[in-house]
Amino acid sequence: TLYDTLDIVIVPTPTPGFDFVEACFGSPTAFTNTSTSVDPITNYNWTFEPGQTSNVQDPSYTFTAPGIHQVELIVISANGCEDTLVLDVNAHHIPVAAFGIPAPCLWPSSQFYDSSSVVNDSIVAWSWDFGDASASSNQQDPAHVYSASGPYNVSLLVTSGFGCQNSVTTSINIYEGPDAAFTVNPPSGNVGNDIFFTDASVENPQPIISWTYDFGDGSGANTADAVHQFDPEGEYAVTLIVIDDAGCPDTATVV
């Protein structure tokens, strides 16, 4: 009987590993290989998305969609041993910048309301440019006073918690607003007499759509022209608030 002896060396499989720097969607994500092996590693097989692969040791990749992606790395050593590592990598969503201005008026101010959003994150910073070379604002919902009516290009830049940014620019028209006025007939009278209030407000240029009288005695009216009786005798400060179709208000008071 013949015998022989063969020494077999069992080589450990390589240990795959990689680091990465997450990026905002649309920017490349950098991957750094950190794999180790007793034998030299000869192959790096990356899969970033279905059908999107690389054989580079330290690749960069720009994902085709935002969100969480399972990135796979298979390392193969010189003796043919291999191992696999899969990690979640986030291509962070870009914010959607948006805002509204329900009443673009010279007086008392134009109030801006942020309506920006971002998926799986929050908006943490706002930068406004009101389009009139005046001071900007970093508030979420700022109010701004324009010096003149007319069109303005207003820009808003928003930043997410991760640091992704996006902006929007919208052309808005700032309106002068109405000039509130009314006449009183008679300007004085007896208790219980009818006092006639007639709207004399001027539209600039949007039509007036709302009238609110405060007769100074706890009562009021919501018509352009009104009739009221006062009791007891005395002086009453009567106020008319008008609002035009753009949402701009003005106020007039007569004693």
Side-chain angles (χ1 to χ4, degrees):
T1 302
L2 299 176
Y3 295 92
D4 197 1
T5 301
L6 178 65
D7 291 333
I8 299 175
V9 178
I10 304 300
V11 178
T13 58
T15 301
F18 61 91
D19 294 328
F20 53 88
V21 178
E22 290 183 344
C24 301
F25 174 64
S27 297
T29 299
F31 295 88
T32 302
N33 170 66
T34 60
S35 304
T36 58
S37 177
V38 173
D39 277 355
I41 296 175
T42 57
N43 294 90
Y44 302 89
N45 298 328
W46 299 83
T47 300
F48 307 107
E49 295 179 279
Q52 303 299 318
T53 62
S54 174
N55 301 118
V56 178
Q57 181 175 345
D58 299 311
S60 292
Y61 180 74
T62 302
F63 290 97
T64 60
I68 303 294
H69 301 271
Q70 289 191 326
V71 175
E72 178 186 80
L73 170 62
I74 300 174
V75 290
I76 304 173
S77 63
N79 62 12
C81 298
E82 68 177 59
D83 201 358
T84 302
L85 175 65
V86 177
L87 295 178
D88 288 340
V89 180
N90 192 0
H92 291 265
H93 287 263
I94 300 296
V96 176
F99 65 89
I101 174 170
C105 311
L106 279 181
W107 184 89
S109 65
S110 292
Q111 180 68 54
F112 293 87
Y113 293 97
D114 168 60
S115 56
S116 305
S117 60
V118 61
V119 177
N120 296 330
D121 205 342
S122 58
I123 305 296
V124 298
W126 299 262
S127 180
W128 295 85
D129 181 342
F130 299 113
D132 60 352
S134 64
S136 59
S137 175
N138 294 320
Q139 297 179 359
Q140 181 177 4
D141 300 314
H144 183 66
V145 178
Y146 286 92
S147 60
S149 59
Y152 296 90
N153 290 323
V154 179
S155 298
L156 169 62
L157 172 69
V158 294
T159 306
S160 71
F162 180 76
C164 302
Q165 293 185 324
N166 202 1
S167 64
V168 63
T169 299
T170 301
S171 179
I172 63 171
N173 197 39
I174 299 299
Y175 295 97
E176 184 175 343
D179 291 324
F182 62 95
T183 61
V184 183
N185 185 33
S188 62
N190 295 323
V191 170
N193 283 0
D194 287 340
I195 306 295
F196 295 88
F197 300 89
T198 303
D199 175 52
S201 303
V202 178
E203 300 173 345
N204 290 319
Q206 303 296 106
I208 295 172
I209 60 172
S210 173
W211 298 261
T212 302
Y213 284 97
D214 180 348
F215 296 119
D217 60 357
S219 62
N222 297 111
T223 56
D225 304 323
V227 180
H228 188 63
Q229 297 176 353
F230 291 91
D231 188 11
E233 65 177 303
E235 287 189 340
Y236 295 86
V238 179
T239 299
L240 170 63
I241 301 174
V242 294
I243 301 175
D244 67 14
D245 191 50
C248 302
D250 195 30
T251 302
T253 301
V254 173
V255 176

